[in-house]
Amino acid sequence: MINFNVPPCAPKAFDYIKECVDNHKICGDGAFTKKCNEWIEKKTGTKKCLLTTSCTHATEMAASLCNIKAGDEVIMPSYTFVSTADAFVIRGATPVFVDIRPDTMNIDEKLIEAAITPNTKAIVPVHYAGVSCEMDTIMDIAKRHNLKVIEDAAQGIMSTYKGKALGSIGDYGCFSFHETKNYSMGEGGALLISDESDVEAAEIIREKGTNRSKYYRGQIDKYTWIDWGSSYLPSDMNAAYLYAQLEMADEINNHRLMLWDMYYERLKPLMEKGAIELPTVPEGCVHNAHMFYIKAADIEERTRLENYLKKDNGIYAVFHYIPLHTSPAGKKFGRFFGEDRYTTKESERLLRLPMYYDLKPEEVEYICSKVTRFYN
Ligand SMILES: *Cc1c(COP(=O)(O)O)cnc(C)c1O
């Protein structure tokens, strides 16, 4: 059997967790949280990184920092995970869904401007599969219309757009360290903040509305309740588990890229025959091999392929994202702008193949041979 995902575990993870326990510091903002923050700041060239309990929570923090309120509209793709919308719906805002580009499955930047109304406050590009959205265009639209940009870079750590790290381009960037992501702490995430003047407000939101972060740094002699906030700090034990992977981030990334390239090479003949489609990585984008997907002709063929791989060959391939605008909550809270040309159709064709650090080249070889057999 070949799993769809196996969460990464770095060799030093348990030593680091033990260090937290031995030092009697297992709550948030301990030594390993700080190491993770600094590592991410350095890697992405962003002003400030705050480790959070999830990407969902990082996005909620960004929505709060943008002062998103009831009646506001936020532009995003419908082909995304529910968190992208949840973080704004909790504040009473309306997600306005815009169609995607079929080549990258990312929001179609050419459709964004027409979806803007006087109520629009922010654009949320989702970098699907760790392949960047067309950020120059999106940042230009945001600037001209005075909108905030919150990058859902849940899948995008280690990826770049024209040399800039994903998550560091907009006003805020949100990473996920869920067990299904390239680097993991079980559940966790990070908020990247590009404007230094936002940092204090972000720290307050993350610390239950208090200025405890300032107190810990010795900048004030007691801490108090300043504003609304929640508890968005992960345990330092989780940060320790993550930090062990960040220390070997390039090794993990290179292995994934090697597997991704192998998939691409082995399946290219099927693409050339017109049997399937393979992912596109546009010029200027460097990706992180977050996922490898193929596109079948339609939902019926995809279902047959999925079953063939799983039932006949023990290979777990999965599809995802029922477009949000077609879901019960999406209908209740959001609306689709314009025509759904690609979102539904392309989502029904897409199948993700196994991809994780522990996956072996022989296994990729085996999977590709089975996909090829299915089509022959
Ligand atoms: C995984 C994911 C999220 C949610 O991340 P959590 O850390 O589980 O909250 C949000 N958006 C996208 C695109 C994701 O892939």
Side-chain angles (χ1 to χ4, degrees):
M1 189 196 84
I2 302 180
N3 284 305
F4 172 67
N5 178 55
V6 174
C9 180
K12 286 192 181 153
F14 299 110
D15 289 343
Y16 288 173
I17 291 170
K18 186 166 183 302
E19 218 174 293
C20 295
V21 177
D22 289 347
N23 291 334
H24 310 297
K25 185 71 189 171
I26 59 174
C27 71
D29 274 340
F32 284 101
T33 301
K34 291 196 178 94
K35 281 182 191 204
C36 290
N37 289 343
E38 280 160 19
W39 189 94
I40 294 167
E41 284 160 14
K42 199 157 157 233
K43 187 78 197 171
T44 61
T46 201
K47 283 272 159 36
K48 187 72 192 171
C49 170
L50 293 173
L51 216 58
T52 60
T53 31
S54 66
C55 178
T56 309
H57 283 166
T59 315
E60 282 184 16
M61 286 179 66
S64 176
L65 290 163
C66 292
N67 198 23
I68 299 291
K69 294 186 298 293
D72 289 347
E73 293 177 1
V74 180
I75 294 173
M76 64 183 68
S78 170
Y79 185 70
T80 182
F81 190 55
V82 293
S83 305
T84 318
D86 271 328
F88 299 93
V89 167
I90 195 178
R91 308 186 67 80
T94 302
V96 174
F97 302 116
V98 166
D99 208 10
I100 53 167
R101 299 165 37 151
D103 60 344
T104 57
M105 306 297 281
N106 283 334
I107 192 166
D108 187 339
E109 68 280 358
K110 292 192 281 310
L111 301 176
I112 292 174
E113 202 151 13
I116 295 172
T117 75
N119 295 324
T120 307
K121 289 288 151 56
I123 306 171
V124 189
V126 178
H127 304 299
Y128 184 70
V131 175
S132 181
C133 297
E134 191 38 58
M135 290 308 290
D136 278 352
T137 308
I138 292 171
M139 294 308 291
D140 175 63
I141 295 168
K143 208 168 175 185
R144 284 188 287 106
H145 293 270
N146 196 24
L147 305 175
K148 295 286 185 186
V149 174
I150 300 158
E151 295 178 70
D152 182 334
Q155 305 174 6
I157 187 167
M158 299 291 275
S159 296
T160 57
Y161 171 79
K162 299 187 180 174
K164 287 183 235 165
L166 300 194
S168 76
I169 304 166
D171 298 280
Y172 306 99
C174 307
F175 283 164
S176 174
F177 300 116
H178 183 259
E179 77 166 28
T180 52
K181 302 303 198 285
N182 292 22
Y183 308 92
S184 178
M185 53 198 278
E187 300 278 356
L191 176 66
L192 278 63
I193 302 169
S194 67
D195 184 347
E196 207 143 20
S197 66
D198 275 343
V199 173
E200 196 175 324
E203 285 178 340
I204 289 167
I205 293 169
R206 182 164 164 272
E207 266 283 17
K208 301 98 185 162
T210 73
N211 53 0
R212 186 150 72 177
S213 298
K214 240 176 152 173
Y215 169 74
Y216 277 148
R217 283 194 297 267
Q219 292 165 325
I220 43 176
D221 57 12
K222 61 177 188 300
Y223 75 88
T224 186
W225 188 24
I226 301 288
D227 202 345
W228 172 85
S230 188
S231 186
Y232 293 132
L233 297 83
S235 158
D236 214 49
M237 292 189 288
N238 296 48
Y241 185 90
L242 174 67
Y243 188 66
Q245 289 159 50
L246 295 182
E247 279 187 322
M248 52 184 288
D250 286 324
E251 190 183 323
I252 292 174
N253 199 45
N254 290 339
H255 184 77
R256 296 183 75 110
L257 286 166
M258 184 268 290
L259 299 174
W260 196 100
D261 290 343
M262 244 185 108
Y263 268 128
Y264 198 93
E265 281 311 310
R266 302 295 187 278
L267 296 174
K268 210 160 112 190
L270 285 180
M271 175 180 71
E272 284 161 355
K273 273 178 34 186
I276 59 170
E277 278 176 37
L278 295 179
T280 305
V281 180
E283 185 83 32
C285 299
V286 176
H287 73 108
N288 59 0
H290 173 62
M291 69 171 85
F292 194 90
Y293 65 81
I294 64 175
K295 283 185 191 165
D298 52 28
I299 195 165
E300 182 275 328
E301 186 181 284
R302 179 183 72 181
T303 308
R304 277 195 294 118
L305 174 59
E306 186 197 358
N307 286 332
Y308 171 78
L309 293 175
K310 183 160 70 191
K311 299 205 178 102
D312 302 350
N313 298 288
I315 299 164
Y316 284 75
V318 307
F319 63 85
H320 68 167
Y321 301 158
I322 304 299
L324 298 185
H325 72 287
T326 67
S327 67
K331 285 180 189 157
K332 186 156 75 177
F333 299 122
R335 68 182 162 80
F336 197 92
F337 169 80
E339 190 196 343
D340 172 7
R341 270 184 80 190
Y342 296 114
T343 300
T344 299
K345 189 172 124 230
E346 298 300 304
S347 73
E348 289 177 348
R349 301 174 55 202
L350 187 140
L351 187 68
R352 301 172 63 184
L353 301 177
M355 173 59 86
Y356 44 90
Y357 179 56
D358 287 325
L359 186 66
K360 310 228 162 8
E362 311 85 86
E363 292 172 317
V364 171
E365 204 76 73
Y366 174 75
I367 296 162
C368 291
S369 74
K370 294 303 173 188
V371 173
T372 304
R373 173 161 303 171
F374 175 83
Y375 280 101
N376 292 337

